Each structure stands twice: as structure tokens, then as C-alpha cells.
Amino acid sequence: PLVQDNDNVIQYIVDEQHHSCSNNDSFDYIVTRPGLLKQGPSQKKLAASKSLPGPIPLTHVDLAEFTLHALLNEQLYNTCPYVVGDGF
């Protein structure tokens, strides 16, 4: 239920952005959706996934690195990818 609630909120925000902004005022977005998070040093490279987040906790450091790199990846613009360990 929590994942579905999050999906509903994200969809609402996306719909409102498209509805309330003119073409000149619209903006690109990326909503990263990790599963569990934990403190600690970097552990693995992360990747965008269309499936649900993985069961293995990700570190805040790895999520931050993924998010910064996602800003350079125009294929992720206007998407809401789940974030998982690469190769998971």
C-alpha cells in the first residue's frame, strides 16, 4: 500500500505540473524512488528500474550519486524511476 500511495502522490504532482504550467513555464523533473535506505559508505552502483525497488537497502551516499548523475541523463527527464542496485 505504501508504494501505491507514493505512486499516487507522484502522479498527482506530475498531473498538476502539466495542468497548471503553460508550455513556457513547464519544467523537467526526475523523482527517484529508492526502497530502503541506510547510513554508511558507498556500496554499489545504482540504476533506474521500472519494477518495484529491490529488497536490499541502499546507502544515502549511493542514492545521492545516482541522483546527481541522473540530472545529466536526459532519458530520465520527466520520469519517476525506482532505484535499485545495478545488476540486481
Side-chain angles (χ1 to χ4, degrees):
L2 185 59
V3 171
Q4 184 61 46
D5 290 343
N6 289 337
D7 288 347
N8 291 339
V9 169
I10 291 166
Q11 188 60 53
Y12 173 79
I13 292 169
V14 169
D15 290 345
E16 283 299 306
Q17 185 269 338
H18 288 294
H19 176 72
S20 64
C21 294
S22 69
N23 288 337
N24 294 334
D25 294 335
S26 65
F27 57 90
D28 292 319
Y29 60 86
I30 303 170
V31 178
T32 55
R33 299 187 292 171
L36 300 171
L37 290 172
K38 66 179 183 177
Q39 296 291 335
S42 178
Q43 293 183 327
K44 64 179 89 177
K45 184 176 177 181
L46 304 181
S49 172
K50 292 182 181 178
S51 64
L52 294 176
I56 299 171
L58 310 174
T59 65
H60 293 275
V61 172
D62 291 334
L63 179 60
E65 182 177 349
F66 171 85
T67 302
L68 291 173
H69 284 96
L71 294 172
L72 301 175
N73 183 349
E74 290 185 17
Q75 291 179 325
L76 292 177
Y77 287 8
N78 304 311
T79 67
C80 307
Y82 291 105
V83 181
V84 299
D86 195 13
F88 187 83

